[in-house]
Amino acid sequence: MGPGSEAGTTASFVVSTLNTTSALKNITGTIVLAGAGKMGGAMLTGWLAGGLDPKRVTVIEPHPSADISALAAKGIRLNPTANEIGDVATLVVAVKPQTFPEAGPALKPFVSASTLVVSIMAGITSAALEKVCGGSVVRAMPNTPAAIGRGITVAVAATNVSAAQRAVAHALLRATGAVEWVDDENLMDAVTAVSGSGPAYIFLLAEELARAGVEAGLPVELATKLARETVAGSGELLHRSDDSSATLRKNVTSPGGTTAAALEVLMGDGGLQQLMIRAVAAATRRSKELAK
């Protein structure tokens, strides 16, 4: 939920040039979404907004929210048995990785040899998914801006995933933002640490910037608004600009000015660079631990 583009395969995979709405409308077969929490729910919302036929979707969620339950009126099936569904073309696994040892075996009846299994669980390897559930596995890592269609997802496909299945996976993932494909699954732990967990780092930045503003004498409400809008606006500027983040930073920084004084602290010994390296390393280690 990221960096990197395809290396060694077709970088401009055909689906990336397709209209997402058309791609979703063209998907055939039953799609089972296992887990409809925040991320699973965001993906489901994106699919339906993009034109996926609700009647093609089945949701497996022991504790559905009111919003998810309400979708049954639109044609989505909620918590049927595997026998009631029949053949499943695609299973999207969006349960918490800590619950997979229990939830995984319960999903196996939904999977046949021809089923595409798309997982968005942190740390759970393709090999583990194939062993527990079967099918042809695409492992993906989205992030929470998916809820507003501005997510970034990194995906890796197992060798037995067909071009048609990869197209389906891409269309489903693309409904909530940009998608990048990699060949090396070992990169997924670092992807999780950078983009999967990354939104929390940005929210912490806004939180601490506001706190520092209060320490400098600003009223809490004003400091919070200034920090929130500064982070949001800067992110949008970074999104729209062709300049690198380093160039944009330098554009704000006048020699000997107030920004330069602050950056001397942030970029000094033990500053933001070292903190981020340690933070991403810690998240990467935890992602690897989840696979054990």
Side-chain angles (χ1 to χ4, degrees), residues 236-248 251:
E236 186 62 23
L237 176 59
L238 182 61
H239 174 68
R240 296 188 187 189
S241 177
D242 292 330
D243 291 334
S244 68
S245 54
T247 297
L248 292 172
N251 289 345

Side-chain angles (χ1 to χ4, degrees), residues 156-189:
V156 59
T159 55
N160 64 341
V161 173
S162 68
Q165 287 176 320
R166 180 163 159 164
V168 170
H170 190 104
L172 292 174
L173 297 170
R174 183 68 182 86
T176 57
V179 179
E180 296 287 338
W181 290 83
V182 296
D183 288 331
D184 185 357
E185 186 173 354
N186 291 324
L187 296 177
M188 294 301 287
D189 295 313

Side-chain angles (χ1 to χ4, degrees), residues 58-144:
T58 293
V59 175
I60 307 298
E61 173 53 61
H63 307 290
S65 66
D67 289 341
I68 296 298
S69 296
L71 291 175
K74 296 185 178 181
I76 286 178
R77 288 184 288 181
L78 185 59
N79 292 325
T81 65
N83 290 335
E84 291 173 324
I85 297 174
D87 291 339
V88 174
T90 305
L91 169 67
V92 179
V93 185
V95 302
K96 289 181 172 59
Q98 295 88 339
T99 68
F100 183 66
E102 178 183 354
L107 297 176
K108 187 174 179 60
F110 296 96
V111 180
S112 68
S114 62
T115 301
L116 168 67
V117 178
V118 180
S119 167
I120 64 167
M121 295 182 294
I124 307 300
T125 65
S126 297
L129 283 156
E130 185 175 352
K131 180 179 179 180
V132 174
C133 295
S136 302
V137 176
V138 167
R139 181 181 171 192
M141 177 48 57
N143 61 7
T144 55

Side-chain angles (χ1 to χ4, degrees), residues 26-41:
N26 291 335
I27 288 178
T28 59
T30 297
I31 298 172
V32 173
L33 172 64
K38 290 183 179 179
M39 186 58 69

